[in-house]
């Protein structure tokens, strides 16, 4: 079955960077775009960007331009999201989500990775 | 960019009742690329409806979606105890992707 497994929780200091991984299985990795979405504690969902695992092209939300980098490793079927210059407002659960088989809705989602930014 | 506004913010109903959730877009949503997600505490969102009205795999038929253009609705015909959760609408037809702020469906 299609599965996305994310890396474990992280605690970072302000100004640091974090790199979250999302390992895909159960399908052809290069055939489906992958998104990243985050959710601050008690808040709603916020789209961060998208990566094409085939060619590696990316598109980021304007809010994160210059701070986020999405990459992929086709040999391990893994996508990565790196966020730099962390601040307390970046404390959130970060999700990867593949596009749906039928259209571009998000399905499935990874289990989420909690990133805590604290001094 | 498209802004999605969901209403109501909180909906209090009893099991067995019908729930109607609304999602209004600031501009027309391209090709009805409108989805609904359910999220329970501590869990990732789960896709319920895509393309405004198509149920995702494994979703019970008590969930239905309708609408086009700027006005969309998620209807749960008869609430089951497991349906009490937060629901988000999402447009993915144009960049940037956008989510509504969510509707919390709580037990009355």
């Amino acid at each position: 079955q299609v599965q996305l497994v994310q890396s474990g929780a992280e605690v970072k200091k302000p100004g640091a960077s974090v790199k979250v991984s999302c390992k895909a299985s159960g399908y052809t990795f290069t055939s489906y775009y992958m998104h990243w979405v985050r959710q601050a504690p008690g808040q709603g969902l916020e789209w961060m960007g998208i990566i094409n695992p085939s060619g590696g092209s990316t598109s980021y939300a304007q809010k994160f331009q210059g701070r986020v980098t999405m990459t992929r490793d086709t040999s391990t079927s893994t996508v990565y999201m790196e966020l730099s210059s962390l601040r307390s407002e970046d404390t959130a659960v970060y999700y990867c989500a593949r596009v749906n088989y039928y259209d571009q809705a998000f399905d499935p989602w990874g289990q989420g990775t909690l990133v805590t930014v604290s001094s | 960019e498209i802004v999605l506004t969901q209403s109501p913010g909180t909906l209090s109903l009893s099991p067995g009742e019908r729930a109607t959730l609304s999602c209004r877009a600031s501009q027309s949503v391209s090709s009805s690329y409108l989805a609904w997600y359910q999220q329970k505490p501590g869990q990732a969102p789960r896709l319920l409806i895509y393309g405004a009205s198509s149920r995702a795999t494994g979703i019970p038929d008590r969930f239905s979606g309708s609408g086009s253009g700027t006005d969309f609705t998620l209807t749960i015909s008869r609430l089951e105890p497991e349906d009490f959760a937060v629901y988000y609408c999402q447009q993915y037809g144009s960049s940037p992707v956008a989510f509504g702020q969510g509707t919390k469906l709580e037990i009355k």
Side-chain angles (χ1 to χ4, degrees):
Chain A
Q1 75 283 17
V2 176
Q3 199 170 9
L4 303 176
V5 178
Q6 298 183 221
S7 49
E10 303 262 13
V11 179
K12 295 293 182 180
K13 293 194 181 302
S17 297
V18 68
K19 192 170 187 178
V20 179
S21 68
C22 170
K23 183 173 176 59
S25 62
Y27 70 97
T28 302
F29 176 68
T30 52
S31 294
Y32 295 85
Y33 284 54
M34 195 80 78
H35 293 264
W36 287 91
V37 175
R38 77 177 187 179
Q39 185 172 38
Q43 302 302 306
L45 302 168
E46 182 174 32
W47 180 74
M48 299 182 70
I50 182 174
I51 181 168
N52 177 357
S54 179
S57 60
T58 56
S59 178
Y60 304 135
Q62 188 169 9
K63 176 177 180 177
F64 300 102
Q65 289 275 4
R67 277 210 307 146
V68 70
T69 304
M70 296 177 187
T71 57
R72 94 292 189 215
D73 181 344
T74 57
S75 68
T76 60
S77 298
T78 303
V79 296
Y80 300 90
M81 187 284 300
E82 183 170 20
L83 189 62
S84 62
S85 303
L86 290 169
R87 35 210 188 230
S88 59
E89 310 89 88
D90 294 318
T91 294
V93 176
Y94 290 76
Y95 295 101
C96 59
R98 200 202 75 174
V99 298
N100 191 12
Y101 173 81
Y102 298 102
D103 71 358
Q104 302 298 304
F106 296 7
D107 182 40
W109 294 58
Q111 83 277 18
T113 297
L114 175 61
V115 175
T116 303
V117 183
S118 174
S119 55
Chain B
E1 68 180 67
I2 296 176
V3 176
L4 300 178
T5 302
Q6 293 185 239
S7 60
T10 303
L11 186 57
S12 300
L13 294 170
S14 301
E17 291 192 292
R18 181 185 186 91
T20 303
L21 286 67
S22 174
C23 177
R24 178 161 289 179
S26 60
Q27 309 169 36
S28 184
V29 175
S30 173
S31 302
S32 293
Y33 283 148
L34 191 287
W36 290 92
Y37 298 85
Q38 177 192 69
Q39 188 178 34
K40 297 180 180 180
Q43 297 184 15
R46 176 174 73 144
L47 178 66
L48 299 175
I49 301 289
Y50 64 92
S53 61
S54 297
R55 267 188 304 276
T57 303
I59 301 303
D61 61 7
R62 64 180 181 273
F63 290 91
S64 63
S66 63
S68 63
T70 60
D71 288 295
F72 299 87
T73 301
L74 174 70
T75 302
I76 311 172
S77 58
R78 295 171 309 279
L79 286 166
E80 297 287 342
E82 61 268 27
D83 298 336
F84 292 91
V86 178
Y87 292 82
Y88 294 95
C89 61
Q90 176 209 37
Q91 77 80 22
Y92 51 98
S94 61
S95 188
V97 169
F99 291 90
Q101 82 279 17
T103 290
K104 182 179 181 180
L105 179 55
E106 64 176 26
I107 299 177
K108 187 174 183 180

